[in-house]
Amino acid sequence: MSQLTQNFKWYEKFTAFIVSTSETAFDNLGYQVASKPWWTIGLCWLFVFSSALGFLKFHQEKNPFKLWVPSKSEFSINTQWLFNKFENAYRTEGFILVADDVLTPEVLLTVAEIDQKIKSVITSEGITFKEVCFKIPEIDIDINLLFKSRNSKNGNDSFFDPSVYFNSATYCKLVESFSQECLQRSILELWNFDIEKIKQLSKKEIINKLNSNKNDFLFGNFKNYTELLGNIETNEVGEIVSAKALHIFYMLHVNFSAIDIDTFGNTAGTADWASEDGLKWENEFLKLMESISKNLTSSKIYYESARSFGDISNGTMFQDIGILITGIFVMVLYVQLVISKFNWVEAREWMICL
């Protein structure tokens, strides 16, 4: 070898050295394998079993903040702080109903009927909307009027905020004395979700109510219900006369400290924090809305749940797994049957089945 490479340049000598060394090493390896086959098989299996011990510590991470966001990032740190300090939050469910004019008695009655069906959803485990919804204190209308009139001056009403004038102990007792109601954002609040009242409404009454009343009767909070409308049309004085879309929201309760994301997360790591009961109710909610959307004729409905993004993204990421496996099988089959020379050394068709 040295005589053959004597006239080689340095890089040619280096290449020849690599080739000759590799050939010698693999020749010795082949000799050892052939002369001691059972030792070789045993060592291979030992290596496989030793490597498989790592599965004892295997953990499938489902926390999206650990999968998709750097742990030292400002966003991740701030989010974790919020989880620790503010344990309670809510998840949003909702739908958008689209029609030529959603501010008509017929459409509002349809919305009210859908609202009743949603609130009547019960899972196979008996979980209801009231059990999983996000609750806030319900302020009685009379108390609300008292707060409103107490600070009135010169005939101009202004809202009296008890949290400003009362000490913390008195204010907390006041709030705790109120009954709890599920938090929603819906134009039906203007009629206190009373379907009998809604059945008797006229177009003019709906418009007048919407334009003249910004107060949420159920909770006593001031709300602008026009935020729930889309493609609004107004008259020359700026009053709403019609709208082509109506958005309704339902809030479900979330307790971050009681949720194990590794239990209720998805494989793609795109699920949001939610309780087991909440996820089950959302699943029934989606089934109901799918059924409603297929049966509506005079209007269209678009719906979403807080779990929708996780479900869709998880399904999208893994929907091509079957196609990928099929492609690999076809590639192996092609190599074995088309490119090989059909001998036991260069083509072993039985390996395709392994």
Side-chain angles (χ1 to χ4, degrees), residues 96-162:
I96 300 175
L97 190 136
V98 179
D100 293 334
D101 185 5
V102 296
L103 300 179
T104 62
E106 296 78 16
V107 173
L108 278 190
L109 181 58
T110 299
V111 173
E113 291 172 347
I114 295 174
D115 178 78
Q116 284 193 340
K117 290 179 180 178
I118 291 174
K119 292 176 180 176
S120 300
V121 168
I122 302 177
T123 68
S124 57
E125 294 81 4
I127 302 167
T128 64
F129 174 68
K130 283 195 172 183
E131 292 175 347
V132 296
C133 71
F134 184 84
K135 295 182 175 66
I136 64 173
E138 176 191 3
I139 301 178
D140 186 82
I141 297 176
D142 295 332
I143 297 178
N144 187 43
L145 293 175
L146 176 64
F147 288 161
K148 182 178 180 181
S149 61
R150 177 166 178 174
N151 204 32
S152 300
K153 294 181 180 179
N154 301 323
N156 296 322
D157 291 336
S158 60
F159 188 73
F160 168 70
D161 188 350

Side-chain angles (χ1 to χ4, degrees), residues 71-315:
S71 59
K72 301 297 183 181
S73 67
E74 184 177 356
F75 175 81
S76 181
I77 294 172
N78 291 342
T79 301
Q80 192 59 50
W81 182 86
L82 287 172
F83 283 177
N84 295 332
K85 299 298 181 180
F86 301 92
E87 295 182 353
N88 295 302
Y90 59 79
R91 291 161 61 87
T92 304
E93 328 293 319
F95 67 88
I96 300 175
L97 190 136
V98 179
D100 293 334
D101 185 5
V102 296
L103 300 179
T104 62
E106 296 78 16
V107 173
L108 278 190
L109 181 58
T110 299
V111 173
E113 291 172 347
I114 295 174
D115 178 78
Q116 284 193 340
K117 290 179 180 178
I118 291 174
K119 292 176 180 176
S120 300
V121 168
I122 302 177
T123 68
S124 57
E125 294 81 4
I127 302 167
T128 64
F129 174 68
K130 283 195 172 183
E131 292 175 347
V132 296
C133 71
F134 184 84
K135 295 182 175 66
I136 64 173
E138 176 191 3
I139 301 178
D140 186 82
I141 297 176
D142 295 332
I143 297 178
N144 187 43
L145 293 175
L146 176 64
F147 288 161
K148 182 178 180 181
S149 61
R150 177 166 178 174
N151 204 32
S152 300
K153 294 181 180 179
N154 301 323
N156 296 322
D157 291 336
S158 60
F159 188 73
F160 168 70
D161 188 350
S163 65
V164 175
Y165 295 93
F166 295 165
N167 59 49
S168 58
T170 304
Y171 178 71
C172 288
K173 287 182 179 179
L174 176 65
V175 173
E176 291 172 356
S177 67
F178 297 147
S179 61
Q180 300 284 312
E181 288 291 339
C182 295
L183 176 61
Q184 291 180 240
R185 290 209 62 195
S186 172
I187 195 174
L188 300 178
E189 294 170 356
L190 290 171
W191 297 275
N192 202 19
F193 299 97
D194 190 334
I195 195 168
E196 296 302 324
K197 290 182 180 179
I198 295 172
K199 287 180 180 179
Q200 300 173 6
L201 291 174
S202 64
K203 167 73 174 179
K204 184 178 180 180
E205 289 174 330
I206 295 171
I207 296 300
N208 290 340
K209 190 79 166 181
L210 184 61
N211 284 306
S212 62
N213 204 314
K214 305 296 182 183
N215 191 35
D216 176 355
F217 285 108
L218 184 60
F219 298 112
N221 301 320
F222 289 99
K223 290 184 180 180
N224 186 355
Y225 291 101
T226 58
E227 295 176 353
L228 301 176
L229 301 175
N231 203 356
I232 298 173
E233 295 181 6
T234 58
N235 57 21
E236 58 276 3
V237 296
E239 294 181 336
I240 297 173
V241 294
S242 68
K244 297 186 182 301
L246 176 61
H247 206 168
I248 307 294
F249 294 98
Y250 303 86
M251 283 64 169
L252 300 191
H253 178 251
V254 178
N255 184 355
F256 295 122
S257 63
I259 296 173
D260 182 6
I261 193 65
D262 291 326
T263 302
F264 304 115
N266 59 31
T267 306
T270 56
D272 201 355
W273 272 253
S275 65
E276 182 179 9
D277 290 348
L279 288 173
K280 290 178 179 178
W281 188 90
E282 287 177 350
N283 191 49
E284 296 300 320
F285 166 80
L286 291 173
K287 291 179 181 178
L288 171 66
M289 296 309 297
E290 182 181 8
S291 174
I292 292 174
S293 65
K294 292 179 180 179
N295 296 324
L296 280 180
T297 55
S298 59
S299 57
K300 293 183 179 180
I301 192 168
Y302 304 91
Y303 59 92
E304 69 167 349
S305 170
R307 66 174 295 163
S308 296
F309 174 77
D311 291 345
I312 294 173
S313 58
N314 184 66

Side-chain angles (χ1 to χ4, degrees), residues 44-75:
C44 289
W45 279 111
L46 179 62
F47 175 77
V48 171
F49 284 125
S50 299
S51 301
L53 292 175
F55 283 109
L56 297 176
K57 293 291 185 178
F58 177 78
H59 169 71
Q60 183 178 3
E61 186 59 68
K62 296 181 179 180
N63 189 330
F65 292 108
K66 293 182 179 180
L67 285 173
W68 304 103
V69 183
S71 59
K72 301 297 183 181
S73 67
E74 184 177 356
F75 175 81

